[in-house]
Amino acid sequence: MLAERPLVAIEAEHGVLGALMHSPDECEVIGAYLDVSDFSQEDNGALYALILASHSKKVAPDPITLSEIRAELPSGDSTLVYAAEVMRNVPSAANGRHYAKIVVERAKARRMYDVGQQLMELAMSAGKIPEQVSQAQALVMELNSREDSPDVVTMKEALGPVFEDMQDRIDGKQFMGLEFGLADLDKIVKCLRPGNLAIIAGRPGTGKTVLGMGLADRVATKKNGSSMVFSLEMPYKELAKRSLASESGVSQNKIETGEAILNDESAARITCAVAALSKADIRICDKGGLTFSRICSIARFQHRAKPLDVIVVDYLSLIATDPSAKLQNRNLELGSYTRGFKALAKELGIPVVVLAQLNRGIENRTDPKPKMSDLRDSGEIEQDADVIIMAHRDMDSERGQNGLTEVDVVKVRHAKPDFCVLQFQGEYARFVNAAAADYEDVRQPAPAREHRPSARTMLGVVKGVH
């Protein structure tokens, strides 16, 4: 039989309170990781808050001083009497930090117990099992997400990791972030950093999925990292075919027809590509109708099983509405998703890349180049995203028909927004760097499109004729 652990340690709670009254300087250390909510009794939490408040004002937190701030504790007991008794029963501050760790440990145990109770209630309540499993995972993962790192650090403590990172990069042990492997685009973005939310937007067929999948493939095959792709539109078989074409340089058509393995050269390329992709840690979830909470649940589970380096979601508008969601407006709902993806990126410490559609209205404008306001059902994308990349290929022009794609980085928090031109190779499902000559006239105003009145407009004209 396992030994039982009490969920409450009143003696340790009194011990840390007494220690802080005897040695107020310990507030600097203990206050960094012990929270008011960690105390099991409300009076103890309130007294702890008074001690910290007194110390922050550079006033010694003795019973008289504390009673001046607040005469009575939540229970109605006298602050002076209660604090004096605690201080008298704890003669020394020697074990204060040890007591604080016990209080934190028991608080975590109580949270775990509460989650267990919630899981039992969830199991016995009516509902869809997949959604309930998702909620259960979120509850358990939240326990893990509570870190022991302090809420506040000094600048001296913050500078240490900065120089450690610098040295690791010099030694080649660490990289600033993730690159697309496209020189001109990487010059602008200057790496997707841990915790970044990146949005890749464009109209259908402009290469959003190719850019996102290309990043996921590169992280896994070239950097020995781990990628997670949520493909809400395209089946995993199609993604695998595209990755194989991109990696091997053999056209998708030849792969589809089987012609690729009949030719010695293409067969050799396919063999090498299969070897590289098979060893790569690329995980694909192509389940349709996933809700936002389910996506986050799967991502957290996969990250806990083996840490991920990037998550790609294709695409935002296809995320299903959660049956329990209270938001009636789709824009507000999608805005809550981008906020949630930003929080997920920060929680896991990796970039999250979300693909998004642009409004159809862009096709009817004189200048078809996309703007930030063209983000379809944008919600709060502009505010939440760290990087926003917009892809545009004008298929009415010779350049567009040849695959030249203008990529505008309209927002990047850690660098200056700019644009570049990439060459889209559709048969290989990939982008490559464009030639210098392809930049000529790229920033010239787009020629005005010939205005063609719609049938509805013509009908209005006809009806207006007398």
Side-chain angles (χ1 to χ4, degrees), residues 175-180 189-199 212 215-216 219 226-230 299 303 308-313 341-354 386-387 414:
F175 301 95
M176 182 74 74
L178 304 182
E179 295 181 332
F180 288 89
V189 177
K190 298 190 186 302
C191 300
L192 295 180
R193 317 292 174 89
N196 274 179
L197 170 62
I199 303 293
L215 175 67
V219 167
S226 301
S227 307
M228 178 82 211
V229 179
F230 290 91
H303 188 68
L308 295 165
D309 293 287
V310 67
I311 293 171
V312 178
V313 181
F341 281 129
K342 174 60 182 174
L344 181 68
K346 194 171 179 183
E347 175 191 334
L348 303 185
I350 62 174
V352 173
V353 179
V354 179
D386 299 285
V387 178
H414 49 265

Side-chain angles (χ1 to χ4, degrees), residues 12 19 33 51 86 108 159 183 248 267 273 305 314 337 351 388 404 416 424:
Y33 60 85
I51 292 171
V86 169
K108 288 181 177 178
L159 285 172
S248 66
D314 184 11
Y337 296 163
I388 299 179
L404 288 173
K416 181 182 176 182
F424 180 63

Side-chain angles (χ1 to χ4, degrees), residues 322-338:
D322 196 315
S324 61
K326 297 178 181 178
L327 294 171
Q328 301 299 320
N329 183 292
R330 182 63 173 168
N331 282 11
L332 294 176
E333 186 181 340
L334 295 182
S336 71
Y337 296 163
T338 57

Side-chain angles (χ1 to χ4, degrees), residues 128-150:
K128 294 182 178 179
I129 286 294
E131 291 299 325
Q132 290 178 321
V133 169
S134 176
Q135 292 175 47
Q137 288 177 332
L139 286 169
V140 174
M141 293 302 177
E142 189 180 353
L143 288 172
N144 285 329
S145 68
R146 291 176 177 266
E147 298 179 354
D148 291 328
S149 59

Side-chain angles (χ1 to χ4, degrees), residues 34-42 44-50 52:
L34 179 63
D35 192 75
V36 171
S37 63
D38 291 333
F39 289 87
S40 64
Q41 290 190 353
E42 194 175 5
N44 290 339
L47 187 58
Y48 177 63
L50 291 175
L52 294 183

Side-chain angles (χ1 to χ4, degrees), residues 202-220:
R203 291 295 299 142
T206 51
K208 301 185 300 296
T209 303
V210 172
L211 265 179
M213 198 66 199
L215 175 67
D217 286 350
R218 186 174 191 276
V219 167

